[in-house]
Amino acid sequence: ARSHIKRWPAEGFARGADRLIADCGAEVVFSGEPDEKALIDEILGLMRERAHNAVGLVTIRQLGLLMRRAGLVITNDSASLHMASAVEAPTVAIFGPTDDAKYGPTAPRRRTVRRRLFCAPCEQALCRFSHECMRFISPEEVYDAARELLESAESTKHER
């Protein structure tokens, strides 16, 4: 996400990606704009497993095609979320200070992960609570939502 207030911590993405790779055999690809390279490098540096880095390597059209082919997209509230919804990619959306009822995913197969706090959604750039709405979301919650979507896709495949 462009705005730091809508970013889930790098540690969360690293732990979640590691678990998807180890438990599900997932191939994980991180994408973003060139100015997000340091953030993605931080995530990759925290990981134990190997993931792919596509930061700055794909156009917006190529990103849409990549998402359409993906088994799952995990994203903050960002342009990537709306792209994933537009191409109907299975999506796990991580929300904090913004309102998932207004900005949440619209893809047919979707999950929203958020921490319900008295102050969220606040839609405020400055937070007197150190962005607990994002920091308190655990990698396990995101993994569970991702696993649920992946398993529902598998059961649908086997029913055909």
PDB file of all heavy atoms in Angstrom, residues 51-76:
ATOM      1  N   ALA A  51      11.120 -16.981  -2.006  1.00  0.00           N
ATOM      2  CA  ALA A  51      10.007 -16.410  -2.758  1.00  0.00           C
ATOM      3  C   ALA A  51      10.562 -15.641  -3.954  1.00  0.00           C
ATOM      4  O   ALA A  51      11.762 -15.384  -4.035  1.00  0.00           O
ATOM      5  CB  ALA A  51       9.197 -15.482  -1.861  1.00  0.00           C
ATOM      6  N   HIS A  52       9.676 -15.294  -4.863  1.00  0.00           N
ATOM      7  CA  HIS A  52      10.068 -14.570  -6.077  1.00  0.00           C
ATOM      8  C   HIS A  52       9.812 -13.076  -5.894  1.00  0.00           C
ATOM      9  O   HIS A  52       8.806 -12.680  -5.318  1.00  0.00           O
ATOM     10  CB  HIS A  52       9.282 -15.088  -7.276  1.00  0.00           C
ATOM     11  CG  HIS A  52       9.421 -16.565  -7.464  1.00  0.00           C
ATOM     12  ND1 HIS A  52      10.519 -17.135  -8.053  1.00  0.00           N
ATOM     13  CD2 HIS A  52       8.605 -17.581  -7.096  1.00  0.00           C
ATOM     14  CE1 HIS A  52      10.367 -18.455  -8.064  1.00  0.00           C
ATOM     15  NE2 HIS A  52       9.217 -18.745  -7.487  1.00  0.00           N
ATOM     16  N   ASN A  53      10.706 -12.275  -6.432  1.00  0.00           N
ATOM     17  CA  ASN A  53      10.605 -10.830  -6.329  1.00  0.00           C
ATOM     18  C   ASN A  53      10.335 -10.241  -7.712  1.00  0.00           C
ATOM     19  O   ASN A  53      11.208 -10.254  -8.576  1.00  0.00           O
ATOM     20  CB  ASN A  53      11.903 -10.262  -5.747  1.00  0.00           C
ATOM     21  CG  ASN A  53      11.838  -8.783  -5.499  1.00  0.00           C
ATOM     22  OD1 ASN A  53      10.919  -8.107  -5.926  1.00  0.00           O
ATOM     23  ND2 ASN A  53      12.843  -8.271  -4.803  1.00  0.00           N
ATOM     24  N   ALA A  54       9.123  -9.719  -7.903  1.00  0.00           N
ATOM     25  CA  ALA A  54       8.752  -9.114  -9.187  1.00  0.00           C
ATOM     26  C   ALA A  54       8.575  -7.606  -9.061  1.00  0.00           C
ATOM     27  O   ALA A  54       7.946  -6.977  -9.909  1.00  0.00           O
ATOM     28  CB  ALA A  54       7.468  -9.760  -9.714  1.00  0.00           C
ATOM     29  N   VAL A  55       9.138  -7.017  -8.027  1.00  0.00           N
ATOM     30  CA  VAL A  55       8.989  -5.581  -7.812  1.00  0.00           C
ATOM     31  C   VAL A  55       9.591  -4.807  -8.978  1.00  0.00           C
ATOM     32  O   VAL A  55      10.750  -5.004  -9.340  1.00  0.00           O
ATOM     33  CB  VAL A  55       9.644  -5.138  -6.483  1.00  0.00           C
ATOM     34  CG1 VAL A  55       9.654  -3.628  -6.353  1.00  0.00           C
ATOM     35  CG2 VAL A  55       8.907  -5.758  -5.319  1.00  0.00           C
ATOM     36  N   GLY A  56       8.769  -3.962  -9.577  1.00  0.00           N
ATOM     37  CA  GLY A  56       9.217  -3.123 -10.678  1.00  0.00           C
ATOM     38  C   GLY A  56       9.424  -3.861 -11.991  1.00  0.00           C
ATOM     39  O   GLY A  56       9.881  -3.262 -12.952  1.00  0.00           O
ATOM     40  N   LEU A  57       9.073  -5.147 -12.037  1.00  0.00           N
ATOM     41  CA  LEU A  57       9.328  -5.941 -13.238  1.00  0.00           C
ATOM     42  C   LEU A  57       8.097  -6.157 -14.111  1.00  0.00           C
ATOM     43  O   LEU A  57       8.228  -6.657 -15.224  1.00  0.00           O
ATOM     44  CB  LEU A  57       9.902  -7.307 -12.856  1.00  0.00           C
ATOM     45  CG  LEU A  57      11.225  -7.290 -12.091  1.00  0.00           C
ATOM     46  CD1 LEU A  57      11.643  -8.706 -11.739  1.00  0.00           C
ATOM     47  CD2 LEU A  57      12.307  -6.596 -12.906  1.00  0.00           C
ATOM     48  N   VAL A  58       6.918  -5.817 -13.609  1.00  0.00           N
ATOM     49  CA  VAL A  58       5.702  -6.053 -14.379  1.00  0.00           C
ATOM     50  C   VAL A  58       4.921  -4.751 -14.545  1.00  0.00           C
ATOM     51  O   VAL A  58       4.917  -3.900 -13.663  1.00  0.00           O
ATOM     52  CB  VAL A  58       4.797  -7.131 -13.728  1.00  0.00           C
ATOM     53  CG1 VAL A  58       5.474  -8.489 -13.733  1.00  0.00           C
ATOM     54  CG2 VAL A  58       4.390  -6.759 -12.319  1.00  0.00           C
ATOM     55  N   THR A  59       4.270  -4.644 -15.685  1.00  0.00           N
ATOM     56  CA  THR A  59       3.374  -3.515 -15.924  1.00  0.00           C
ATOM     57  C   THR A  59       2.065  -3.780 -15.187  1.00  0.00           C
ATOM     58  O   THR A  59       1.818  -4.891 -14.715  1.00  0.00           O
ATOM     59  CB  THR A  59       3.082  -3.351 -17.425  1.00  0.00           C
ATOM     60  OG1 THR A  59       2.349  -4.512 -17.864  1.00  0.00           O
ATOM     61  CG2 THR A  59       4.364  -3.186 -18.235  1.00  0.00           C
ATOM     62  N   ILE A  60       1.207  -2.791 -15.147  1.00  0.00           N
ATOM     63  CA  ILE A  60      -0.091  -2.968 -14.491  1.00  0.00           C
ATOM     64  C   ILE A  60      -0.908  -4.049 -15.212  1.00  0.00           C
ATOM     65  O   ILE A  60      -1.583  -4.856 -14.587  1.00  0.00           O
ATOM     66  CB  ILE A  60      -0.853  -1.625 -14.366  1.00  0.00           C
ATOM     67  CG1 ILE A  60      -2.040  -1.758 -13.427  1.00  0.00           C
ATOM     68  CG2 ILE A  60      -1.296  -1.111 -15.711  1.00  0.00           C
ATOM     69  CD1 ILE A  60      -1.659  -1.702 -11.982  1.00  0.00           C
ATOM     70  N   ARG A  61      -0.817  -4.081 -16.527  1.00  0.00           N
ATOM     71  CA  ARG A  61      -1.535  -5.103 -17.304  1.00  0.00           C
ATOM     72  C   ARG A  61      -0.964  -6.499 -16.985  1.00  0.00           C
ATOM     73  O   ARG A  61      -1.714  -7.449 -16.794  1.00  0.00           O
ATOM     74  CB  ARG A  61      -1.421  -4.807 -18.795  1.00  0.00           C
ATOM     75  CG  ARG A  61      -2.010  -5.930 -19.647  1.00  0.00           C
ATOM     76  CD  ARG A  61      -1.978  -5.594 -21.101  1.00  0.00           C
ATOM     77  NE  ARG A  61      -3.298  -5.021 -21.364  1.00  0.00           N
ATOM     78  CZ  ARG A  61      -3.558  -4.187 -22.342  1.00  0.00           C
ATOM     79  NH1 ARG A  61      -2.614  -3.795 -23.142  1.00  0.00           N
ATOM     80  NH2 ARG A  61      -4.766  -3.746 -22.521  1.00  0.00           N
ATOM     81  N   GLN A  62       0.355  -6.612 -16.931  1.00  0.00           N
ATOM     82  CA  GLN A  62       0.975  -7.900 -16.599  1.00  0.00           C
ATOM     83  C   GLN A  62       0.622  -8.334 -15.180  1.00  0.00           C
ATOM     84  O   GLN A  62       0.423  -9.518 -14.924  1.00  0.00           O
ATOM     85  CB  GLN A  62       2.493  -7.824 -16.773  1.00  0.00           C
ATOM     86  CG  GLN A  62       2.921  -7.710 -18.213  1.00  0.00           C
ATOM     87  CD  GLN A  62       4.388  -7.324 -18.365  1.00  0.00           C
ATOM     88  OE1 GLN A  62       4.966  -6.649 -17.508  1.00  0.00           O
ATOM     89  NE2 GLN A  62       4.991  -7.751 -19.467  1.00  0.00           N
ATOM     90  N   LEU A  63       0.530  -7.373 -14.258  1.00  0.00           N
ATOM     91  CA  LEU A  63       0.135  -7.700 -12.892  1.00  0.00           C
ATOM     92  C   LEU A  63      -1.275  -8.282 -12.879  1.00  0.00           C
ATOM     93  O   LEU A  63      -1.536  -9.274 -12.192  1.00  0.00           O
ATOM     94  CB  LEU A  63       0.206  -6.458 -11.991  1.00  0.00           C
ATOM     95  CG  LEU A  63      -0.231  -6.676 -10.543  1.00  0.00           C
ATOM     96  CD1 LEU A  63       0.666  -7.693  -9.847  1.00  0.00           C
ATOM     97  CD2 LEU A  63      -0.228  -5.351  -9.792  1.00  0.00           C
ATOM     98  N   GLY A  64      -2.170  -7.690 -13.626  1.00  0.00           N
ATOM     99  CA  GLY A  64      -3.529  -8.228 -13.724  1.00  0.00           C
ATOM    100  C   GLY A  64      -3.542  -9.650 -14.250  1.00  0.00           C
ATOM    101  O   GLY A  64      -4.259 -10.516 -13.732  1.00  0.00           O
ATOM    102  N   LEU A  65      -2.741  -9.923 -15.266  1.00  0.00           N
ATOM    103  CA  LEU A  65      -2.661 -11.281 -15.817  1.00  0.00           C
ATOM    104  C   LEU A  65      -2.063 -12.253 -14.802  1.00  0.00           C
ATOM    105  O   LEU A  65      -2.530 -13.389 -14.666  1.00  0.00           O
ATOM    106  CB  LEU A  65      -1.843 -11.279 -17.110  1.00  0.00           C
ATOM    107  CG  LEU A  65      -2.485 -10.565 -18.294  1.00  0.00           C
ATOM    108  CD1 LEU A  65      -1.493 -10.420 -19.451  1.00  0.00           C
ATOM    109  CD2 LEU A  65      -3.741 -11.287 -18.745  1.00  0.00           C
ATOM    110  N   LEU A  66      -1.039 -11.807 -14.107  1.00  0.00           N
ATOM    111  CA  LEU A  66      -0.424 -12.639 -13.067  1.00  0.00           C
ATOM    112  C   LEU A  66      -1.443 -12.960 -11.974  1.00  0.00           C
ATOM    113  O   LEU A  66      -1.573 -14.110 -11.544  1.00  0.00           O
ATOM    114  CB  LEU A  66       0.791 -11.917 -12.480  1.00  0.00           C
ATOM    115  CG  LEU A  66       1.585 -12.644 -11.408  1.00  0.00           C
ATOM    116  CD1 LEU A  66       2.211 -13.919 -11.961  1.00  0.00           C
ATOM    117  CD2 LEU A  66       2.680 -11.725 -10.861  1.00  0.00           C
ATOM    118  N   MET A  67      -2.183 -11.952 -11.540  1.00  0.00           N
ATOM    119  CA  MET A  67      -3.197 -12.171 -10.508  1.00  0.00           C
ATOM    120  C   MET A  67      -4.299 -13.106 -10.984  1.00  0.00           C
ATOM    121  O   MET A  67      -4.777 -13.954 -10.230  1.00  0.00           O
ATOM    122  CB  MET A  67      -3.800 -10.841 -10.065  1.00  0.00           C
ATOM    123  CG  MET A  67      -2.877 -10.009  -9.226  1.00  0.00           C
ATOM    124  SD  MET A  67      -3.681  -8.444  -8.809  1.00  0.00           S
ATOM    125  CE  MET A  67      -2.580  -7.841  -7.542  1.00  0.00           C
ATOM    126  N   ARG A  68      -4.715 -12.951 -12.234  1.00  0.00           N
ATOM    127  CA  ARG A  68      -5.770 -13.805 -12.780  1.00  0.00           C
ATOM    128  C   ARG A  68      -5.352 -15.274 -12.764  1.00  0.00           C
ATOM    129  O   ARG A  68      -6.159 -16.156 -12.528  1.00  0.00           O
ATOM    130  CB  ARG A  68      -6.121 -13.380 -14.195  1.00  0.00           C
ATOM    131  CG  ARG A  68      -7.262 -14.232 -14.780  1.00  0.00           C
ATOM    132  CD  ARG A  68      -7.596 -13.860 -16.181  1.00  0.00           C
ATOM    133  NE  ARG A  68      -8.256 -12.557 -16.174  1.00  0.00           N
ATOM    134  CZ  ARG A  68      -8.344 -11.782 -17.242  1.00  0.00           C
ATOM    135  NH1 ARG A  68      -7.820 -12.159 -18.375  1.00  0.00           N
ATOM    136  NH2 ARG A  68      -8.961 -10.633 -17.170  1.00  0.00           N
ATOM    137  N   ARG A  69      -4.073 -15.531 -12.987  1.00  0.00           N
ATOM    138  CA  ARG A  69      -3.554 -16.908 -13.007  1.00  0.00           C
ATOM    139  C   ARG A  69      -3.216 -17.434 -11.615  1.00  0.00           C
ATOM    140  O   ARG A  69      -3.065 -18.634 -11.429  1.00  0.00           O
ATOM    141  CB  ARG A  69      -2.316 -16.977 -13.886  1.00  0.00           C
ATOM    142  CG  ARG A  69      -2.640 -16.711 -15.355  1.00  0.00           C
ATOM    143  CD  ARG A  69      -1.469 -16.947 -16.217  1.00  0.00           C
ATOM    144  NE  ARG A  69      -1.085 -18.347 -16.102  1.00  0.00           N
ATOM    145  CZ  ARG A  69       0.012 -18.856 -16.611  1.00  0.00           C
ATOM    146  NH1 ARG A  69       0.831 -18.101 -17.280  1.00  0.00           N
ATOM    147  NH2 ARG A  69       0.300 -20.130 -16.457  1.00  0.00           N
ATOM    148  N   ALA A  70      -3.096 -16.532 -10.641  1.00  0.00           N
ATOM    149  CA  ALA A  70      -2.687 -16.925  -9.287  1.00  0.00           C
ATOM    150  C   ALA A  70      -3.788 -17.719  -8.586  1.00  0.00           C
ATOM    151  O   ALA A  70      -4.977 -17.488  -8.803  1.00  0.00           O
ATOM    152  CB  ALA A  70      -2.340 -15.681  -8.465  1.00  0.00           C
ATOM    153  N   GLY A  71      -3.370 -18.629  -7.741  1.00  0.00           N
ATOM    154  CA  GLY A  71      -4.322 -19.358  -6.918  1.00  0.00           C
ATOM    155  C   GLY A  71      -4.862 -18.502  -5.794  1.00  0.00           C
ATOM    156  O   GLY A  71      -5.921 -18.787  -5.234  1.00  0.00           O
ATOM    157  N   LEU A  72      -4.132 -17.413  -5.472  1.00  0.00           N
ATOM    158  CA  LEU A  72      -4.499 -16.572  -4.347  1.00  0.00           C
ATOM    159  C   LEU A  72      -3.700 -15.276  -4.387  1.00  0.00           C
ATOM    160  O   LEU A  72      -2.527 -15.284  -4.744  1.00  0.00           O
ATOM    161  CB  LEU A  72      -4.172 -17.313  -3.043  1.00  0.00           C
ATOM    162  CG  LEU A  72      -4.418 -16.603  -1.735  1.00  0.00           C
ATOM    163  CD1 LEU A  72      -5.919 -16.460  -1.484  1.00  0.00           C
ATOM    164  CD2 LEU A  72      -3.784 -17.379  -0.598  1.00  0.00           C
ATOM    165  N   VAL A  73      -4.334 -14.175  -4.000  1.00  0.00           N
ATOM    166  CA  VAL A  73      -3.658 -12.891  -3.835  1.00  0.00           C
ATOM    167  C   VAL A  73      -3.875 -12.447  -2.389  1.00  0.00           C
ATOM    168  O   VAL A  73      -5.006 -12.453  -1.902  1.00  0.00           O
ATOM    169  CB  VAL A  73      -4.221 -11.815  -4.799  1.00  0.00           C
ATOM    170  CG1 VAL A  73      -3.611 -10.450  -4.509  1.00  0.00           C
ATOM    171  CG2 VAL A  73      -3.973 -12.215  -6.250  1.00  0.00           C
ATOM    172  N   ILE A  74      -2.799 -12.088  -1.721  1.00  0.00           N
ATOM    173  CA  ILE A  74      -2.880 -11.517  -0.373  1.00  0.00           C
ATOM    174  C   ILE A  74      -2.385 -10.086  -0.487  1.00  0.00           C
ATOM    175  O   ILE A  74      -1.288  -9.851  -0.988  1.00  0.00           O
ATOM    176  CB  ILE A  74      -2.023 -12.314   0.631  1.00  0.00           C
ATOM    177  CG1 ILE A  74      -2.490 -13.759   0.702  1.00  0.00           C
ATOM    178  CG2 ILE A  74      -2.083 -11.642   2.020  1.00  0.00           C
ATOM    179  CD1 ILE A  74      -1.620 -14.653   1.578  1.00  0.00           C
ATOM    180  N   THR A  75      -3.189  -9.145  -0.017  1.00  0.00           N
ATOM    181  CA  THR A  75      -2.865  -7.742  -0.226  1.00  0.00           C
ATOM    182  C   THR A  75      -3.415  -6.857   0.887  1.00  0.00           C
ATOM    183  O   THR A  75      -4.391  -7.210   1.546  1.00  0.00           O
ATOM    184  CB  THR A  75      -3.418  -7.262  -1.590  1.00  0.00           C
ATOM    185  OG1 THR A  75      -3.093  -5.903  -1.800  1.00  0.00           O
ATOM    186  CG2 THR A  75      -4.917  -7.456  -1.697  1.00  0.00           C
ATOM    187  N   ASN A  76      -2.762  -5.733   1.065  1.00  0.00           N
ATOM    188  CA  ASN A  76      -3.292  -4.675   1.907  1.00  0.00           C
ATOM    189  C   ASN A  76      -4.421  -3.994   1.148  1.00  0.00           C
ATOM    190  O   ASN A  76      -4.656  -4.266  -0.033  1.00  0.00           O
ATOM    191  CB  ASN A  76      -2.208  -3.617   2.181  1.00  0.00           C
ATOM    192  CG  ASN A  76      -1.042  -4.149   2.957  1.00  0.00           C
ATOM    193  OD1 ASN A  76      -1.187  -4.704   4.022  1.00  0.00           O
ATOM    194  ND2 ASN A  76       0.153  -3.968   2.407  1.00  0.00           N
TER     195      ASN A  76
END
